[in-house]
Amino acid sequence: MTGEATEESGPVRVFLVDDHALFRAGVRAELAAADAVEVVGEAGSVAEAVAGIGHYRPEVVLLDVHMPDGGGAEVLRQVRAQSGEDKSEIVFLALSVSDAAEDVIAVIRGGARGYVTKTISGHELVDAISRVKAGDAVFSPRLAGFVLDAFSEGPNAAPVGDPELDLLTRREREVLRLLARGYAYKEIASELFISVKTVETHVSSVLRKTQLSNRYELSRWASDRRLV
């Protein structure tokens, strides 16, 4: 597809950012069936994303939160830093496997207009894209509360950091979150595009770092930190 401008009444021009090529292909296939959107480009890294967004000038960017070279927050930072008049109307919608409060808060503070998880259906994603383009803020149901808490000043305001949680790597948090939600090792491996053995290694590392002894304790620990 080309990067030429479309008429205002045409489909929403979308740029897709995710470090998993297989996932990008799946999203492309889902969106291709919808007349309301058009994927004009894609990228698998921060550098590719910043360059591609500048080149294609999309209306909406679907943005992964975690990538090896910095992730969604870094894409937002660089694009905002380089933004001229021609980029001021770009809207960012986070699309991630992560539903952790800290991830949601980071990209919203960075300038994203919404945040949905990868469990979203193709029809729902098209609707979310159209809504953020129209000016709405869009969140997967349980994530809106994180944003309200984070930007409130009441007793339920989201914590800035958690020293124990900071011990875990990004991938360990992802594995823990899915484990606590009841996923089997094989399902976690499929969701994160890693092997079952790698899942087992991450779980062992999380148990060691948290000094917990079983899956039940890990689930309680994750729930207490609003990771589930």
Side-chain angles (χ1 to χ4, degrees):
M1 297 181 183
T2 68
E4 297 178 359
T6 59
E7 296 182 359
E8 186 174 347
S9 59
V12 180
R13 294 163 46 79
V14 174
F15 191 90
L16 176 60
V17 181
D18 194 285
D19 61 331
H20 292 294
L22 187 61
F23 178 76
R24 295 200 307 271
V27 173
R28 269 187 173 273
E30 289 281 354
L31 297 183
D35 294 332
V37 298
E38 175 191 10
V39 178
V40 297
E42 63 181 64
S45 69
V46 170
E48 289 178 355
V50 174
I53 292 167
H55 176 71
Y56 288 106
R57 293 181 296 178
E59 295 170 288
V60 174
V61 176
L62 290 180
L63 187 62
D64 192 14
V65 173
H66 295 298
M67 293 185 290
D69 57 345
E74 182 61 17
V75 173
L76 281 160
R77 186 190 70 78
Q78 292 191 30
V79 171
R80 296 304 187 198
Q82 297 177 11
S83 287
E85 186 176 344
D86 62 333
K87 297 178 186 176
S88 60
E89 298 303 317
I90 297 174
V91 180
F92 291 83
L93 174 63
L95 175 63
S96 177
V97 69
S98 172
D99 57 3
E102 66 269 21
D103 289 334
V104 178
I105 293 164
V107 294
I108 297 303
R109 283 181 170 156
R113 187 64 181 170
Y115 193 119
V116 294
T117 61
K118 290 181 178 179
T119 57
I120 194 171
S121 69
H123 173 76
E124 291 169 334
L125 182 57
V126 171
D127 180 64
I129 291 169
S130 299
R131 287 172 59 195
V132 294
K133 172 60 174 63
D136 291 344
V138 179
F139 298 92
S140 291
R142 69 183 299 271
L143 305 185
F146 295 157
V147 179
L148 291 172
D149 286 348
F151 290 93
S152 72
E153 296 182 359
N156 294 323
V160 175
D162 184 323
E164 291 183 293
L165 192 59
D166 289 343
L167 293 174
L168 306 184
T169 67
R170 171 185 61 84
R171 182 62 84 190
E172 287 169 351
R173 293 188 194 192
E174 291 173 344
V175 170
L176 173 59
R177 187 173 303 113
L178 294 175
L179 187 74
R181 289 169 62 180
Y183 283 56
Y185 283 10
K186 185 176 181 180
E187 293 172 324
I188 295 173
S190 176
E191 184 78 15
L192 299 180
F193 301 96
I194 58 180
S195 69
V196 173
K197 185 174 182 180
T198 300
V199 173
E200 293 172 347
T201 299
H202 285 313
V203 172
S204 295
S205 179
V206 172
L207 286 168
R208 185 183 72 254
K209 290 180 179 180
T210 58
Q211 299 184 10
L212 300 174
S213 58
N214 56 53
R215 179 173 184 154
Y216 174 75
E217 291 180 350
L218 279 179
S219 295
R220 289 290 301 275
W221 191 89
S223 179
D224 289 343
R225 285 157 180 80
R226 300 170 67 181
L227 293 180
V228 183

